[in-house]
Amino acid sequence: MSASAMSAEFDDVPGWTAEAVEQLGERHAIPAACRGSASPAALAWLAEACELAPGIRLLDVGAGAGGPAAWAAERFGVAPILLEPMPAAGRAAVRLFGLPVVAADGRRIPLRTASVDAAWCLGVLCTVRDKAAMLAEIHRVLTPGASLGLLVVLARGPQVLPAPDGNHFPTGGELLGLLAGAGFEVVEQIDQQTGAPLSWTRRAEQVAAVVASRHRTDPAFRLAAHQGERFARLFASGQIAVRLVHAVSRPA
Ligand SMILES: C[S@@+](CC[C@H](N)C(=O)[O-])C[C@H]1O[C@@H](n2cnc3c(N)ncnc32)[C@H](O)[C@@H]1O
């Protein structure tokens, strides 16, 4: 992804989102800060599959503004550690949820080997060219046998046209090969079937409307909106789809 598109979508918008949530109220925070297509049903599937429980150290790689990790802490009592390279997104997660954020790239995670109990990586892999390096790093920091929950936007055919700037969608077969190569065993995978209920989407839309009203004329807003429109067209035409995956880390 070009640096400007990446920082518009993954840094400017999360920062503006945090400001808008502060205006609208904290019940808007989690729906607005889930920026990787995760619905409550998808998060619940991942949480149950990974057997999240109170006190589990859950590393969220590419955590964005922290909505999924905050949801897991609120509903399952986990102790999240967020890893996010974009500074304003990390600040948004701290501001909205008070969660610990490590500012780093998922291909070089500054955590000890076998130091986390579970990991999530939601809506991130398609934005990363070197997916093998990121998955290998996640495998390194997980304890052997620990769970990895993934939300991945997959290509349903050999080509996705026009691909949004900087996205490299793997096919289902490629994803399975990458996971096996990094030392993961896939336990289960499903296509995301249910959308979010109105109680969730309305709040996310209200936050998006405040962001639009304040930043509509900003070039970064237009860039991010353009990316969003391209994604929506690709989902509507069936060229891409969301897959949820539960895998476990095999001992190295
Ligand atoms: C679509 S957003 C999803 C954010 C969050 N996981 C969620 O579901 O709300 C993709 C995230 O991946 C992050 N990202 C992109 N490249 C990354 C990398 N190399 N290492 C870690 N995170 C990365 C972006 O900064 C962005 O926050």
Side-chain angles (χ1 to χ4, degrees):
M1 186 178 299
S2 74
S4 52
M6 183 129 178
S7 75
E9 195 179 358
F10 297 149
D11 215 29
D12 294 313
V13 174
W16 296 335
T17 296
E19 287 167 9
V21 167
E22 279 163 2
Q23 177 186 324
L24 291 167
E26 65 181 26
R27 293 186 71 206
H28 290 73
I30 290 179
C34 282
R35 308 195 46 80
S37 307
S39 67
L43 294 174
W45 189 90
L46 290 166
E48 293 290 351
C50 295
E51 298 184 73
L52 297 187
I56 278 190
R57 285 161 303 163
L58 173 69
L59 174 67
D60 191 358
V61 178
W71 181 93
E74 188 179 291
R75 302 297 163 99
F76 284 77
V78 301
I81 307 162
L82 283 63
L83 185 121
E84 172 55 48
M86 291 284 156
R91 284 196 299 276
V94 173
R95 201 162 148 184
L96 290 174
F97 307 113
L99 293 173
V101 180
V102 179
D105 192 296
R107 293 164 297 179
R108 286 176 300 280
I109 302 176
L111 295 177
R112 278 182 293 115
T113 297
S115 62
V116 296
D117 306 313
W120 276 4
C121 186
L122 312 184
V124 181
L125 277 184
C126 71
T127 69
V128 175
R129 212 176 260 283
D130 194 353
K131 302 174 194 356
M134 180 175 280
L135 290 170
E137 260 303 80
I138 297 173
H139 183 269
R140 182 185 66 76
V141 298
L142 280 172
T143 53
S147 284
L148 168 64
L150 290 171
L151 183 154
V152 188
V153 182
L154 291 181
R156 297 176 83 183
Q159 265 200 321
V160 172
L161 292 171
D165 191 13
N167 281 271
H168 319 279
F169 304 104
T171 62
E174 283 163 356
L175 178 64
L176 293 182
L178 284 162
L179 284 166
F184 288 100
E185 189 176 315
V186 173
V187 180
E188 196 179 359
Q189 49 177 331
I190 60 163
D191 291 327
Q192 183 177 17
Q193 281 152 351
T194 48
L198 275 177
S199 58
W200 176 285
T201 51
R202 270 199 200 118
R203 289 199 174 94
E205 282 165 14
Q206 285 163 359
V207 171
V210 170
V211 169
S213 70
R214 289 182 180 167
H215 301 284
R216 198 184 303 282
T217 56
D218 190 312
F221 178 88
R222 289 207 215 106
L223 207 50
H226 183 57
Q227 284 281 97
E229 284 156 16
R230 281 172 140 185
F231 258 89
R233 276 200 293 274
L234 291 174
F235 277 121
S237 67
Q239 291 194 68
I240 57 174
V242 169
R243 171 80 46 91
L244 305 178
V245 181
H246 172 222
V248 291
S249 136
R250 287 194 311 264

